[in-house]
Amino acid sequence: MLQSDLEKKMTLQPHQKAYVQRASFSREGATVYLGHLDLMTCFERAARRAELPILYSQGYNPRPMMVFALPLGVGIETRCDYLDVSLDRSYDPVLFTEKMNACLPEGLRIIRSKEIPEPKDSIMSIVTTATYRFEAPGIREAMEQAMGMETLIVTKISKGKEKQTDIRPLLLSLQKSEDEDPDSVEFYASAGSEKNVRPDLILSSLHTYCGMDRDVADNTRVIRTGLYAGNYPKIIPIDQAKIRKFEDFANN
Amino acid sequence: MKHYPAPLSRSDLMSVESPARYVGGEFNAIIKEDMMDEIEKTGKTSYVRFAFCFPDIYEIGMSNLALQILYHVLNDSDFVACERAFSPWFDMDKILREKNITLYSQETKTPLCDFDVLGFTLGYEMCYTNVLQMLDLGKIPFLAKDRGEDDPVICCGGPVTYNIEPMADFFDIVMMGEGEEMILEVCEKIREYKRSKGTDAPISRMQLLRNCDSIDGVYVPSLYEVSYHYGDDETADGRARGAKVVPADDSVKKTIRKRIITDLDSCSYPTAPVVSNLRVVHDRSYLEVFRGCIRGCRFCQAGFIYRPVREKSVDVLCEQGRLLEKNTGYDEMGLLSLATSDYTCFPELAENLLTTFEGHHTSLSLPSLRLDSFSLDLREKVQSTRKSGLTFAPEAGTQRLRDVINKNIKEEDIFSALRLAFMGGWSTVKLYFMLGLPTETDEDVLGIADLAKRIEKLYFDVGRETGQRMRRLDITVSTSLFIPKPFTPFQWEMQNAKEELMRKQRLLKDNMRSRNIHYAWHDFDSSVWEVVLARGDRRLSSVLLEGYQAGHYFDAWDDHFRLDEWVGILEKHGLTIEDFSREYSEEEILPWDHISVGVSKKFLLSERHKAHEEKTTPSCREHCSGCGAATFGVGECFAKRGED
């Protein structure tokens, strides 16, 4: 078979109906140090070990159809991130959760899952806001100071070029806390494909503008505690967001 | 499974390339929790704690089959707890030194000096200095003679250990051959040793080593003495010609014969190997199909040291393949052996595995596959992805030289396979050759260019004949340099000097200019040093130590290898490259003559003579040539001899 014929054969396959498991997951321990691509591979392999009826992408290099709501950078823990896994049949979310958890490496866990109709909007496109928790000596005061600033200009390196950017508008608000622990703080920040702020840039601004020691900033424990859809402050957790169905979209 | 955090701060881990290398936590990794509880309560354990050490970075070590096999053999036993350790890359190495953190195991982050035994797997000579790095960072004395009762026992095994003399000063115990059974026998002795501590009759470290010497296949270098031969009066030039290794006393065995596994079907195989969280060099599962090779190419060390040929049965392989796929989740499985096509039931195995993987999006990777119509058809089936290149290893440019090296590949076969492949749409061809082979002339070198050009012509001929639309042709000619290795018929041969090799390379390059042909060559410097380590003797231990202490390690990484500096250190110790690259005489005693791999020296010598007469030797399957490996009483050739 010639290469061109092979290409045709591979691409001309009809769309198969997908049953999507929208699952929340946590990561801690050793897996915190994985980059996002490696993290995705870990989930793919776990789903394969669990022998779940996963759908694969078409084309030359078929991959299990899994979409993560927001990349998780190296060194960031999470208590509530999300992914969509496409299966070829309807599946009990409790069983899905159990099977995945038996096959995930230590530190990664599915918290809960629910089956949703195949969404028109990719899970990535609906994320607008994240909550983070920072833990380090004196972190609350530093963050409060940062919230009082008009601008927080940081240097961002993208595509090998240095770029100055103001991250202050992306820090939305501090979360209220009862004990006002000086060594931890939680806050809302813009997240997603349109506006996003990386936690390491926030920490570096705390060092530059709020007198935080470099070493303390670098050793701050960073935990993502939630991901939301909607316009801040009217936001809703990703797994409760309303879903525009693929079928409705396809019929229009 | 409990998580044992690395003894490093977040900022330290975040500052290195790939921090995931240093934190463990992989699927299928094994931690014996009862042992950890025991240690927590009493401060000690009755388990033999074994650190399996790979002297290169994590991504390479985790692609190593020996590691996976022995990790599971050891952990399957009820008295050993095996963990893994790897060489930390320079960035992490620096942090460990600056912060005075002892190199630790992946699983429980235990400092290496707290293990009972360290086992290094040595797959290539250039990793030697990384053994020293791991000992150093593990806070263990370098030299076996400097280690005391409280230090771990330092062992090694692997293909290059058949001439371990250059590293002999650093190891307490060397295991020759296949380790599945031997490693447990050694651990048993270490258990007795450990148990006896604090009793009325403690076993001394020296006694332990002697106890291990009684195990077949085990070599304890400190129980042997080396004498160097400087020739008779007429030939003496102050250079040693031969190194004789003999037992220090009569109670020590004279010859160490390698161990093999007689029945691979019943031997344990890791069907639930540790799956790295990080993508590694060979990111797939491995199914080992058989050991040994029927071919006998005269330059190839693997072809002799792994004899005799022993196959696994199709049923066992299919079951192991099924389990491997399920337990790892890898989407690719590699069939592993020295020559996959030589597996007697290869078509049946491939069909069976493909049926098992049906609909799973799992592909088979088939390295070292001979090209014929069957394998082309098979490739079409297994490759859901883009057509990758076709690979041939003629090794030499002329039939004469191919006869010398006993590479039984005929040009007609290459051309008929390529014709089929080109008609099937393939357009990428890789050709592997060696430069500097014994008896090589410029004609042989030019023969490589000629072969490449004739393949180029064939491609366009096929296009004309069939009227097919042809894609851009891409032929890659790759040359590596011949390195004489112990236990091959070429173990006595000289290595061309660097200048001569460079001349041959230029000659080839100048005569192979075409837009369709690319020439890729191998680095000279490392090949020059590799021959020193491969054929060296015990005098090199002090050279290696000095080089390591001067900051030379990760020598297997071309960017970090400095031949000129190594030569300087070698000369400081009164040695030269020429001492090891020269032609060894057939009369001299070789530094590895006290080791037996089954294949006799007499056979190797007769093969050498046949090489110089340009005569070939048939494969073990066609005819037994009496190499000596039948002494193990198993294997395909042995069974055949029984029939004759």
Side-chain angles (χ1 to χ4, degrees):
Chain A
M1 201 184 309
L2 272 175
Q3 196 78 36
S4 52
D5 299 333
L6 204 64
E7 269 162 37
K8 272 182 215 147
K9 188 186 151 199
M10 304 295 291
T11 45
L12 290 178
Q13 286 191 9
H15 175 77
Q16 192 177 355
K17 182 173 162 59
Y19 297 82
V20 178
Q21 293 282 331
R22 178 156 288 181
S24 55
F25 70 93
S26 61
R27 89 158 169 183
E28 57 182 15
T31 51
V32 169
Y33 293 98
L34 291 173
H36 190 63
L37 286 174
D38 288 321
L39 180 76
M40 287 165 65
T41 310
C42 279
F43 273 94
E44 287 175 14
R45 287 192 184 141
R48 288 172 55 84
R49 290 191 287 261
E51 299 183 308
L52 291 165
I54 334 157
L55 281 178
Y56 283 75
S57 63
Q58 307 292 326
Y60 269 127
N61 199 2
R63 309 293 327 158
M65 285 172 69
M66 284 190 185
V67 187
F68 286 74
L70 189 67
L72 198 53
V74 180
I76 304 172
E77 295 173 51
T78 180
R79 289 190 187 150
C80 197
D81 261 63
Y82 298 90
L83 82 162
D84 279 357
V85 181
S86 294
L87 302 181
D88 72 0
R89 68 198 72 162
S90 178
Y91 210 86
D92 175 9
V94 175
L95 191 61
F96 173 85
T97 306
E98 277 171 17
K99 283 198 164 198
M100 281 296 285
N101 283 339
C103 293
L104 278 165
E106 186 61 31
L108 294 178
R109 263 191 83 73
I110 301 282
I111 301 163
R112 74 182 74 81
S113 180
K114 65 185 208 180
E115 188 168 277
I116 58 167
E118 197 174 354
K120 174 193 170 281
D121 303 312
S122 134
I123 190 168
M124 293 163 83
S125 68
I126 62 171
V127 176
T128 60
T129 313
T131 47
Y132 289 97
R133 177 182 169 88
F134 284 176
E135 292 178 12
I139 189 80
R140 176 172 298 273
E141 203 190 323
M143 266 311 275
E144 279 168 355
Q145 210 182 324
M147 296 306 286
M149 310 277 280
E150 296 225 328
T151 58
L152 289 169
I153 310 288
V154 294
T155 309
K156 196 169 146 182
I157 300 167
S158 76
K159 291 168 194 159
K161 275 185 199 155
E162 287 196 356
K163 203 180 133 193
Q164 302 291 311
T165 171
D166 182 11
I167 59 164
R168 178 59 192 85
L170 306 175
L171 300 180
L172 303 170
S173 69
L174 297 191
Q175 268 180 335
K176 304 242 179 314
S177 121
E178 280 179 16
D179 58 355
E180 295 287 314
D181 173 11
D183 299 338
S184 71
V185 66
E186 282 191 57
F187 59 92
Y188 292 94
S190 294
S193 39
E194 277 185 36
K195 285 187 284 184
N196 190 59
V197 57
R198 285 188 353 231
D200 59 310
L201 290 180
I202 304 174
L203 288 167
S204 109
S205 78
L206 295 184
H207 166 65
T208 316
Y209 302 106
C210 309
M212 198 175 186
D213 194 58
R214 175 92 254 172
D215 197 50
V216 176
D218 287 348
N219 280 302
T220 299
R221 182 175 178 190
V222 180
I223 309 163
R224 193 138 81 198
T225 50
L227 282 179
Y228 303 87
N231 293 322
Y232 180 83
K234 288 170 75 181
I235 54 173
I236 180 162
I238 295 296
D239 59 351
Q240 288 167 38
K242 198 168 172 290
I243 287 148
R244 287 205 290 159
K245 286 189 227 166
F246 187 86
E247 285 155 28
D248 297 348
F249 167 72
N251 292 340
N252 286 335
Chain B
M1 198 170 79
K2 201 176 148 195
H3 171 57
Y4 295 86
L8 292 158
S9 67
R10 181 181 190 276
S11 61
D12 284 339
L13 281 167
M14 292 295 283
S15 72
V16 301
E17 173 192 320
S18 291
R21 288 170 182 165
Y22 308 104
V23 294
E26 303 93 334
F27 195 76
N28 289 336
I30 297 164
I31 291 178
K32 299 208 168 170
E33 298 289 356
D34 56 332
M35 176 187 78
M36 294 310 283
D37 293 345
E38 197 186 345
I39 291 174
E40 202 177 309
K41 279 188 205 118
T42 67
K44 52 187 185 185
T45 174
S46 54
Y47 275 100
V48 171
R49 300 196 71 181
F50 194 115
F52 196 97
C53 297
F54 193 91
D56 209 322
I57 62 165
Y58 179 87
E59 287 92 325
I60 296 177
M62 285 301 290
S63 305
N64 183 272
L65 183 61
L67 177 147
Q68 299 279 8
I69 290 178
L70 296 172
Y71 183 76
H72 284 84
V73 164
L74 290 167
N75 279 319
D76 283 350
S77 82
D78 57 6
F79 70 101
V80 186
C82 178
E83 304 186 27
R84 294 158 297 141
F86 302 90
S87 267
W89 188 242
F90 290 106
D91 49 7
M92 180 55 81
D93 175 291
K94 187 161 170 273
I95 291 171
L96 296 178
R97 286 174 205 269
E98 278 172 9
K99 309 235 157 142
N100 195 26
I101 298 167
T102 309
L103 183 61
Y104 55 86
S105 63
Q106 291 290 116
E107 282 80 357
T108 63
K109 316 297 187 287
T110 302
L112 293 189
C113 56
D114 290 348
F115 280 85
D116 296 312
V117 46
L118 263 59
F120 285 88
T121 182
L122 306 177
Y124 33 95
E125 294 87 352
M126 300 300 274
C127 74
Y128 286 167
T129 41
N130 279 70
V131 171
L132 303 181
Q133 178 215 22
M134 291 182 79
L135 290 176
D136 194 8
L137 294 174
K139 303 223 169 84
I140 296 162
F142 292 117
L143 298 170
K145 69 176 170 63
D146 293 342
R147 290 194 280 264
E149 301 292 338
D150 292 329
D151 289 312
V153 176
I154 310 300
C155 309
C156 70
V160 299
T161 52
Y162 290 119
N163 178 26
I164 197 63
E165 290 308 302
M167 288 290 282
D169 287 354
F170 308 114
F171 290 109
D172 297 306
I173 290 170
V174 182
M175 292 177 234
M176 301 286 175
E178 294 165 12
E180 285 99 330
E181 295 167 348
M182 185 173 25
I183 204 164
L184 286 175
E185 294 164 21
V186 168
C187 286
E188 189 72 58
K189 300 286 183 204
I190 292 171
R191 172 161 69 164
E192 285 169 19
Y193 167 66
K194 190 175 176 178
R195 272 185 181 164
S196 78
K197 280 185 187 172
T199 66
D200 297 343
I203 298 171
S204 69
R205 196 176 170 98
M206 177 46 79
Q207 187 57 48
L208 166 72
L209 298 182
R210 286 189 175 267
N211 291 348
C212 287
D213 175 64
S214 70
I215 300 170
D216 283 343
V218 168
Y219 172 46
V220 180
S222 62
L223 299 179
Y224 293 76
E225 285 165 357
V226 190
S227 55
Y228 300 95
H229 294 250
Y230 289 88
D232 48 42
D233 291 343
E234 285 139 56
T235 55
D237 55 358
R239 320 294 322 156
R241 298 280 186 270
K244 189 175 182 184
V245 183
V246 290
D249 64 60
D250 290 346
S251 65
V252 180
K253 58 179 177 274
K254 280 200 186 63
T255 304
I256 302 98
R257 191 170 84 140
K258 79 164 186 204
R259 288 281 289 274
I260 62 158
I261 299 300
T262 48
D263 181 13
L264 289 181
D265 273 352
S266 62
C267 184
S268 111
Y269 188 76
T271 49
V274 183
V275 180
S276 169
N277 289 330
L278 191 65
R279 270 160 306 168
V280 298
V281 178
H282 299 296
D283 220 5
R284 51 182 170 253
S285 62
Y286 283 123
L287 185 58
E288 189 188 23
V289 179
F290 65 97
R291 290 184 187 170
C293 179
I294 58 169
R295 302 276 154 185
C297 302
R298 290 174 181 137
F299 56 86
C300 177
Q301 193 184 34
F304 293 92
I305 60 176
Y306 290 107
R307 287 183 182 205
V309 172
R310 288 146 294 147
E311 297 190 336
K312 286 192 205 168
S313 68
V314 175
D315 290 348
V316 166
L317 286 170
C318 289
E319 178 60 7
Q320 289 178 350
R322 189 185 68 78
L323 290 170
L324 264 176
E325 192 209 15
K326 179 173 164 28
N327 294 336
T328 62
Y330 282 122
D331 56 11
E332 188 176 359
M333 184 177 298
L335 297 189
L336 220 72
S337 70
L338 293 170
T340 312
S341 309
D342 286 338
Y343 179 60
T344 351
C345 308
F346 179 55
E348 193 187 342
L349 174 66
E351 292 291 335
N352 265 330
L353 287 174
L354 287 176
T355 312
T356 305
F357 301 157
E358 184 97 58
H360 297 189
H361 298 273
T362 302
S363 63
L364 268 187
S365 136
L366 303 164
S368 58
L369 202 61
R370 200 169 46 246
L371 281 178
D372 50 30
S373 56
F374 168 72
S375 72
L376 282 172
D377 190 42
L378 187 67
R379 271 160 198 264
E380 192 92 45
K381 277 189 212 157
V382 300
Q383 275 167 338
S384 48
T385 52
R386 207 173 286 273
K387 274 177 181 162
S388 56
L390 297 166
T391 305
F392 290 91
E395 306 292 0
T398 59
Q399 192 58 46
R400 185 200 70 80
L401 193 52
R402 282 195 291 275
D403 287 346
V404 169
I405 63 176
N406 203 39
K407 180 83 194 184
N408 290 323
I409 181 170
K410 295 268 177 287
E411 243 167 58
E412 302 93 270
D413 301 338
I414 298 179
F415 279 89
S416 62
L418 277 175
R419 175 172 284 276
L420 279 173
F422 290 158
M423 283 163 65
W426 263 279
S427 60
T428 307
V429 183
K430 286 188 196 133
L431 299 166
Y432 289 95
F433 297 93
M434 253 186 260
L435 284 180
L437 285 163
T439 78
E440 183 181 65
T441 63
D442 284 359
E443 194 185 321
D444 299 309
V445 176
L446 292 171
I448 297 173
D450 181 55
L451 190 60
K453 282 186 205 150
R454 281 185 289 135
I455 289 172
E456 183 183 26
K457 181 173 176 297
L458 174 75
Y459 186 77
F460 295 112
D461 286 350
V462 168
R464 253 192 313 281
E465 286 163 28
T466 61
Q468 273 182 117
R469 185 170 55 88
M470 303 295 272
R471 295 152 54 89
R472 172 83 191 264
L473 172 67
D474 178 10
I475 299 175
T476 304
V477 171
S478 178
T479 57
S480 62
L481 305 175
F482 166 69
I483 297 168
K485 292 274 172 128
F487 297 105
T488 65
F490 289 164
Q491 65 180 0
W492 294 273
E493 300 293 339
M494 66 174 287
Q495 186 183 47
N496 278 165
K498 191 172 159 182
E499 296 68 35
E500 172 66 356
L501 289 168
M502 287 172 85
R503 187 190 66 79
K504 286 177 177 175
Q505 207 168 66
R506 261 196 315 273
L507 180 71
L508 178 55
K509 195 164 182 275
D510 291 344
N511 284 281
M512 205 166 51
R513 294 191 194 279
S514 159
R515 61 193 286 267
N516 299 309
I517 304 174
H518 300 105
Y519 182 28
W521 58 84
H522 190 265
D523 178 59
F524 291 110
D525 287 2
S526 60
S527 305
V528 170
W529 190 240
E530 200 177 316
V531 78
V532 173
L533 299 180
R535 295 203 301 180
D537 55 55
R538 226 175 257 202
R539 292 174 297 172
L540 286 164
S541 287
S542 53
V543 174
L544 285 165
L545 184 55
E546 188 175 331
Y548 166 73
Q549 285 171 330
H552 301 299
Y553 47 107
F554 281 112
D555 293 321
W557 297 70
D558 285 349
D559 293 353
H560 295 278
F561 178 66
R562 301 274 173 276
L563 179 64
D564 48 350
E565 304 204 15
W566 276 112
V567 170
I569 298 165
L570 193 66
E571 286 171 355
K572 249 174 78 184
H573 288 255
L575 299 169
T576 63
I577 294 282
E578 213 275 326
D579 286 339
F580 306 100
S581 64
R582 69 188 166 91
E583 182 178 341
Y584 284 24
S585 95
E586 291 177 2
E587 287 75 38
E588 74 183 71
I589 293 169
L590 303 170
W592 53 90
D593 273 352
H594 58 303
I595 310 295
S596 162
V597 298
V599 178
S600 70
K601 193 172 178 182
K602 205 175 113 207
F603 176 75
L604 294 177
L605 208 51
S606 77
E607 278 294 289
R608 181 190 192 208
H609 296 157
K610 280 174 85 177
H612 286 275
E613 291 157 19
E614 299 170 11
K615 283 185 187 149
T616 60
T617 297
S619 82
C620 303
R621 202 162 277 159
E622 292 162 71
H623 174 71
C624 174
S625 303
C627 73
T631 163
F632 290 103
V634 288
E636 205 171 312
C637 54
F638 182 78
K640 215 173 211 106
R641 278 155 64 103
E643 285 162 23
D644 290 345

